Amino acid sequence: QVQLVESGGGLVQAGGSLRLSCSVSGRTFSGYSMGWFRQAPGKEREFVARITWSSGATYYADSVKGRFTISRDNARYRVYLQMNSLKPEDTAVYYCAAGYGSTWSQYAYRGQGTQVTVSS
C-alpha cells in the first residue's frame, strides 16, 4: 500500500520558519518527481516546489523562490520542504505528492496534507 505522510505543519509568526517532511512507503518512485502543493481556503490548489528523485533537480513557484527549499533523503525515502521568511499568504494545507510536472492532476499519489498557519 502506497503511503505519503506529511508532518511538520503548525502555527508560526510571520518571518518564521517551518520544515515539512513527507515520508514515502509502499513503492519506489525513482522515475518520478516529488512535489509539494498547497491549498488556501477559497483558493485553488497550487504548485509550490518539486524535486526529481533521480537527479535532484528542483523547481519552484515564483511565489516561494528564494524562501523555500525542497530536498530529499534517498536513504530514508523522505522529502522535505524548508520554509523560511514565512508570510501570512503562505497559510494553507500543504500536500506531498508523487508524479510529474507542476500540475496537481499529474500527481497520482498524494498525501493527506498538513496545515501551515502563518500569523501576522
Side-chain angles (χ1 to χ4, degrees), residues 5-119:
V5 180
E6 304 94 339
S7 62
L11 173 64
V12 63
Q13 287 188 332
S17 299
L18 282 174
R19 189 176 82 151
L20 304 184
S21 177
C22 175
S23 175
V24 182
S25 62
R27 62 159 288 171
T28 59
F29 291 101
S30 57
Y32 285 63
S33 285
M34 296 300 298
W36 286 97
F37 293 79
R38 67 186 182 186
Q39 187 167 22
K43 295 188 177 181
E44 293 189 354
R45 189 173 281 122
E46 64 175 356
F47 167 76
V48 175
R50 67 181 176 96
I51 186 168
T52 60
W53 272 117
S54 55
S55 69
T58 58
Y59 307 85
Y60 296 93
D62 288 342
S63 59
V64 306
K65 205 171 291 183
R67 300 188 298 122
F68 290 11
T69 302
I70 188 170
S71 62
R72 76 201 191 300
D73 184 334
N74 288 350
R76 300 183 68 188
Y77 225 55
R78 292 191 176 213
V79 179
Y80 303 99
L81 185 69
Q82 178 66 43
M83 305 186 295
N84 298 329
S85 302
L86 283 161
K87 305 174 182 180
E89 51 263 43
D90 294 318
T91 295
V93 177
Y94 284 71
Y95 299 89
C96 172
Y100 304 95
S102 303
T103 305
W104 181 247
S105 62
Q106 296 173 292
Y107 285 71
Y109 301 92
R110 304 162 175 176
Q112 294 300 306
T114 185
Q115 176 70 47
V116 171
T117 303
V118 184
S119 63

